[in-house]
Amino acid sequence: MKNTKQIIIDAAIKVFNDDLSASLDCVAERADVHRRTLHLNFKSRQELIECCKNDMMVTCQQAMTDAYHASADPKKQLELMLYAGIDCGAKYAFLQKLYGKSSYAQVPEAEKNGTFDSIKHRWFKLIEQLQDQHLIHSQLSIAWIFTLFGGMITNTIDALQSGDVAPNDIKSFAWYSFSKSIGL
């Protein structure tokens, strides 16, 4: 069972994704708590947003780790990690609007040196392995491929939010586009 603080964070994520300028009253209403309860848990809007950002880090790290462990095939692992990135990016889209495209720059230093770097290291190893198997041309640097990966996630979320692409097709379109862009 979720505690009150987590219920408020979950409500804030949904409310701010719909309207970044929504009031804390809207968040409290969505969480089905009194505004006073919200303020007992969060001293300010900024503190609530910081907690949403921390929730994103934990959730996305777990999703990427689960995707990595879901298969032993490096190509499938990469595909599942892309899907996990899309799902996380869509869930926390308001943070991208708030902080801009460079989400890694917004990661607290402690997180950069912890699980996030571990997941990034695994991702880099996947690309290296696929290059060693000559499935991805070694002329493409891993850093470049990582940038393409992040860009594909961002573009997929933008397309999803625009409503111009069918949600059922979006992940397969993203994987097709990304995999072909790196020669898979």
Side-chain angles (χ1 to χ4, degrees):
M1 180 143 192
K2 292 182 182 180
N3 64 31
T4 302
K5 191 169 189 170
Q6 188 61 51
I7 291 169
I8 294 169
I9 290 169
D10 292 345
I13 291 164
K14 290 174 184 168
V15 168
F16 294 151
N17 270 334
D18 290 339
D19 179 6
L20 189 53
S21 64
S23 70
L24 292 180
D25 286 329
C26 291
V27 173
E29 183 178 319
R30 180 75 179 243
D32 198 24
V33 298
H34 293 291
R35 174 88 185 241
R36 190 174 329 135
T37 302
L38 188 145
H39 283 293
L40 286 172
N41 287 277
F42 304 97
K43 301 208 182 320
S44 67
R45 178 186 185 86
Q46 189 56 41
E47 182 182 339
L48 176 57
I49 289 172
E50 287 300 313
C51 287
C52 291
K53 188 166 55 168
N54 290 336
D55 188 79
M56 176 197 70
M57 292 302 302
V58 170
T59 301
C60 293
Q61 288 169 2
Q62 187 60 54
M64 292 296 260
T65 299
D66 291 347
Y68 177 83
H69 289 297
S71 176
D73 174 26
K75 187 175 172 182
K76 189 65 177 177
Q77 288 172 310
L78 186 61
E79 180 181 1
L80 294 174
M81 290 177 90
L82 178 69
Y83 297 160
I86 292 167
D87 288 341
C88 285
K91 179 177 179 181
Y92 299 95
F94 82 94
L95 290 169
Q96 183 178 8
K97 291 175 190 169
L98 193 59
Y99 293 113
K101 304 282 185 202
S102 177
S103 60
Y104 188 68
Q106 300 299 324
V107 177
E109 272 312 306
E111 292 294 339
K112 286 183 184 178
N113 298 322
T115 309
F116 183 85
D117 273 347
S118 173
I119 293 164
K120 187 176 177 184
H121 177 75
R122 287 180 189 154
W123 189 94
F124 272 63
K125 285 292 188 190
L126 283 177
I127 301 302
E128 191 176 292
Q129 189 175 1
L130 291 166
Q131 285 179 326
D132 289 346
Q133 295 172 1
H134 303 289
L135 295 173
I136 298 175
H137 197 288
S138 60
Q139 184 178 14
L140 296 174
S141 74
I142 295 174
W144 175 254
I145 296 169
F146 187 69
T147 300
L148 285 173
F149 185 82
M152 184 57 62
I153 291 169
T154 300
N155 290 337
T156 303
I157 294 163
D158 289 347
L160 184 62
Q161 290 177 335
S162 76
D164 294 335
V165 180
N168 294 341
D169 296 330
I170 203 120
K171 286 183 182 176
S172 62
F173 288 172
W175 173 246
Y176 180 81
S177 301
F178 175 69
S179 64
K180 297 307 175 199
S181 74
I182 60 173
L184 277 176

